Amino acid sequence: MEAFLSSTLAVSIAEIGDKTQLLALFLAARYGRPWIISLGVLVATLVNHALSAWLGAVLAGVIPQHWIPWIIGVSFIAIGLWLLIPDKEDDEMGRFANYGPFVATLVLFFLAEIGDKTQIATVILAAKYSADVLMTIAVIAGTTLGMLIANVPVIFAGKWLMDKLPLGFAHKAACVIFIGMGIVTLINA
């Protein structure tokens, strides 16, 4: 349960103001089909985060066990600091826009997540909770739920919601959470 809850909390807060959230807002404004766009976000996130969690679990099996808490702790702190650098909106949808809202969302969201803070957080969380397959599944479910918690309201409420969210506060809160997780991991090492 800890893997699921910490993954959900970490990703839902880290995603606020992220480039993929801005992409979700852009897709909703372009297509106006919130259910289809939400489904595209769900599928893209499940695939991306499942691959990321698998990578985290593999890395946890390859890296010497006594290094893992140190790498995870430092990585959490690095992500926390990275969260203080806000993402910029990318208005270029390219040729994928011609395939409709589901395919455009699926492809663009999957590609935007590659190398993103939340993807890297998923790798790190999966490495931390790689004790068994159920923990890895809990991480995938938690990070996917976190993405949906952050993105679905934006898809449905759009610009109104983005005008109301204090993004600076959200980035700072996420920074504190990740740095706190890093410190706790390092202390327990």
Side-chain angles (χ1 to χ4, degrees):
M1 190 62 146
E2 177 188 345
F4 175 76
L5 293 176
S6 63
S7 298
T8 303
L9 178 65
V11 169
S12 63
I13 292 174
E15 182 65 10
I16 295 174
D18 192 71
K19 69 182 176 207
T20 47
Q21 191 178 50
L22 296 172
L23 175 61
L25 175 64
F26 182 72
L27 289 163
R30 178 180 173 105
Y31 292 110
R33 309 241 346 243
W35 290 105
I36 300 297
I37 293 166
S38 297
L39 182 61
V41 168
L42 171 65
V43 174
T45 302
L46 276 172
V47 172
N48 189 293
H49 287 201
L51 292 170
S52 302
W54 171 79
L55 176 63
V58 166
L59 289 175
V62 174
I63 297 171
Q65 288 297 314
H66 63 280
W67 290 10
I68 291 176
W70 295 98
I71 292 170
I72 290 171
V74 170
S75 297
F76 276 145
I77 292 169
I79 289 175
L81 295 173
W82 186 11
L83 284 165
L84 295 177
I85 303 169
D87 289 322
K88 293 180 176 75
E89 185 173 3
D90 184 6
D91 289 336
E92 181 58 43
M93 287 181 50
R95 66 182 183 270
F96 300 110
N98 298 330
Y99 295 108
F102 178 76
V103 173
T105 302
L106 177 71
V107 172
L108 293 171
F109 213 84
F110 180 86
L111 293 174
E113 257 311 277
I114 295 174
D116 196 52
K117 293 174 265 232
T118 50
Q119 184 190 39
I120 294 170
T122 302
V123 172
I124 295 166
L125 286 159
K128 179 177 181 175
Y129 296 109
S130 65
D132 62 43
V133 174
L134 291 178
M135 297 279 269
T136 303
I137 291 170
V139 168
I140 296 166
T143 58
T144 300
L145 179 61
M147 290 293 280
L148 294 174
I149 288 170
N151 286 300
V152 170
V154 169
I155 293 166
F156 279 88
K159 181 141 176 52
W160 177 85
L161 185 61
M162 291 303 287
D163 290 341
K164 303 294 181 203
L165 285 174
L167 294 181
F169 174 77
H171 284 281
K172 289 174 187 164
C175 172
V176 169
I177 289 170
F178 273 95
I179 289 175
M181 289 169 57
I183 290 170
V184 167
T185 301
L186 291 173
I187 289 171
N188 291 331

